[in-house]
Amino acid sequence: MSGRGLLMWDEAVTKYDFGPGHPMDPVRLELTMGLVRAFGLDRELEVRAGRPAGESTLRLVHREEYVAAVREVSADPGVADGSYGLGTTDDPAFQGMHEASALIAGQSVAAAEAIWRGDAEHAVNFAGGLHHAMPGGAAGFCVYNDAALAIARLLELGAERVAYVDVDVHHGDGVQAAFWDDPRVLTISMHEHPRTLFPQTGWPEETGGPEAEGSAVNIALPAGTGDEGWLRAFHAVVPELLEEFRPQVLVTQHGADTHFEDPLAHLAVSLDAQRAVMEACHELAHSCGEGGRWLALGGGGYSVVDVVPRSWTHLVAIAGHRPIDPETAVPGSWRDAAYARTGAVAPGRMTDGRVPGLRDWDAGYDPADRIDQAVLATRRAVFPLRGLLA
């Protein structure tokens, strides 16, 4: 197996664009790749473009009539009427929707194939992680579920155990739904509690279908959870389950919307904590998996300059075996261009004269007793089903 990391990138993924004012601004992808290049990470990993997912690949997860509907509104956005979740406020129809969505899906599938073949040990598609799309409909800014498609392709290639760990602030409902009754796939989602956030699913009691009890794991954290509680919850649940499951491939989703500056959610996590979980996932791929096979995806994240590019640059660096010291300042040329590109107001220099870099601070609080209750609820619901002590 090649130890070199693989970075999936094609400029055309920025055509996944719901229009002006929509939170899923493709500029976040453009800026992330710009920062990756500014740090020279594109020389540390192999940068590769995958082909758009074809009909047979899409139908590994999505229904034929849904793919046909996406194609129809892609050609003529004016016909979208909300059917199949297309043409809604969350998922407005746009010209080329099918092509852009299929490209993002194809990038994740190609990365999974490369990992399974042994061409790469780790792969990143930060344009991916569109985890809300369902077999028969779009939802939550997601048209095709690239994470589920990558996992389904791994199963098609012969994988018998694939683990999916999702640390986006929103529940990974579409991936859970796709493999609800499949014991070959362990889905773990750590997210803000469904009482306070879309999609209002991901309760601890959701543990998998009759043929796969214990294969779905949900850690629902209270609004306001910051670094300490977020990291404690991850380490109290995820490593033990992965150690028991022994995945042949670990697929992870790293939505940056857990951050305290994110405008669409209510957790209070810092870049440092996001980086720590990325590093933990990397280590778990090696310690609990077979051959360190790791596919890392992006996801949500709507603070497009100050958070998302920094967070996902850490992800790329870790996957490329070249982690970046979080004290490192972002290159001034990237910083100036990013703020000019978006019209955002650049932060001033820090008190010691440095410009802000790949680190920030924890501005949240940790309702410790409620976090412990959330962890215990997950362990009590799932661990006995997997033969572990709760």
Side-chain angles (χ1 to χ4, degrees):
M1 177 181 292
S2 170
R4 195 176 189 205
L6 181 64
L7 174 59
M8 306 303 299
W9 177 250
D10 185 322
E11 297 285 348
V13 298
T14 60
K15 295 180 180 177
Y16 189 85
D17 187 353
F18 290 113
H22 193 282
M24 185 74 91
D25 190 333
V27 74
R28 66 201 193 116
L29 305 179
E30 174 189 329
L31 295 180
T32 298
M33 193 61 193
L35 190 55
V36 164
R37 288 174 175 144
F39 277 109
L41 296 173
D42 56 326
R43 298 189 294 273
E44 301 292 329
L45 296 90
E46 178 186 351
V47 180
R48 184 186 300 179
R51 293 179 298 178
E55 191 79 17
S56 61
T57 297
L58 293 172
R59 288 182 61 187
L60 290 174
V61 169
H62 295 291
R63 296 177 191 144
E64 181 179 8
E65 64 272 18
Y66 172 56
V67 176
V70 176
R71 287 183 179 277
E72 182 182 11
V73 303
S74 179
D76 182 4
V79 304
D81 60 3
S83 300
Y84 300 100
L86 302 169
T88 63
T89 301
D90 276 0
D91 297 277
F94 60 90
Q95 193 82 33
M97 172 182 270
H98 167 77
E99 290 76 13
S101 303
L103 177 59
I104 291 173
Q107 302 272 58
S108 292
V109 169
E113 291 172 341
I115 290 171
W116 187 252
R117 287 193 306 261
D119 295 347
E121 185 179 48
H122 308 145
V124 180
N125 179 21
F126 57 76
L130 304 180
H131 59 170
H132 293 307
M134 291 291 176
F141 314 162
C142 305
V143 178
Y144 293 141
N145 195 318
D146 66 286
L149 287 164
I151 294 169
R153 178 58 175 150
L154 288 168
L155 298 178
E156 187 178 51
L157 291 171
E160 297 175 344
R161 296 181 311 283
V162 180
Y164 173 74
V165 176
D166 187 321
V167 295
D168 192 286
V169 77
H170 302 92
H171 177 224
D173 56 340
V175 183
Q176 175 180 286
F179 304 105
W180 179 251
D181 214 24
D182 192 334
R184 297 174 296 173
V185 181
L186 174 67
T187 64
I188 305 173
S189 179
M190 184 170 75
H191 47 265
E192 184 177 329
H193 202 285
R195 286 196 188 96
T196 55
L197 195 66
F198 173 90
Q200 282 77 52
T201 58
W203 299 78
E205 297 78 18
E206 297 172 31
T207 57
E211 301 300 318
E213 290 186 349
S215 67
V217 182
N218 289 290
I219 312 164
L221 297 174
T225 296
D227 285 5
E228 182 181 352
W230 196 67
L231 293 171
R232 185 166 72 246
F234 179 91
H235 289 290
V237 175
V238 177
E240 199 168 346
L241 288 171
L242 293 183
E243 177 67 31
E244 182 271 338
F245 188 65
R246 308 300 297 180
Q248 293 167 295
V249 183
L250 176 62
V251 180
T252 58
Q253 197 268 22
H254 298 271
D257 44 10
T258 52
H259 195 269
F260 60 80
E261 286 189 358
D262 198 89
L264 299 188
H266 317 98
L267 295 192
V269 173
S270 72
L271 284 168
D272 281 347
Q274 291 178 351
R275 175 180 50 82
V277 162
M278 294 168 187
E279 291 178 338
C281 288
H282 177 209
E283 293 167 5
L284 289 167
H286 286 277
S287 64
C288 299
E290 292 186 6
R293 295 186 183 108
W294 179 35
L295 171 56
L297 307 172
Y302 309 101
S303 181
V304 297
V305 179
D306 295 318
V307 178
V308 177
R310 291 167 165 85
S311 182
W312 290 347
T313 296
H314 276 306
L315 182 63
V316 173
I318 292 164
H321 299 284
R322 210 197 95 178
I324 299 173
D325 185 335
E327 296 290 353
T328 305
V330 299
S333 57
W334 176 88
R335 181 174 178 266
D336 293 343
Y339 286 102
R341 172 75 175 79
T342 60
V345 177
R349 291 181 177 269
M350 303 168 97
T351 54
D352 59 4
R354 292 180 298 122
V355 298
L358 292 188
R359 134 169 290 164
D360 49 30
W361 60 93
D362 177 8
Y365 67 94
D366 279 308
D369 56 335
R370 289 163 57 205
I371 293 166
D372 289 341
Q373 289 171 17
V375 168
L376 284 172
T378 298
R379 292 179 64 95
R380 286 169 179 162
V382 175
F383 277 44
L385 296 174
R386 303 205 65 86
L388 298 170
L389 295 175

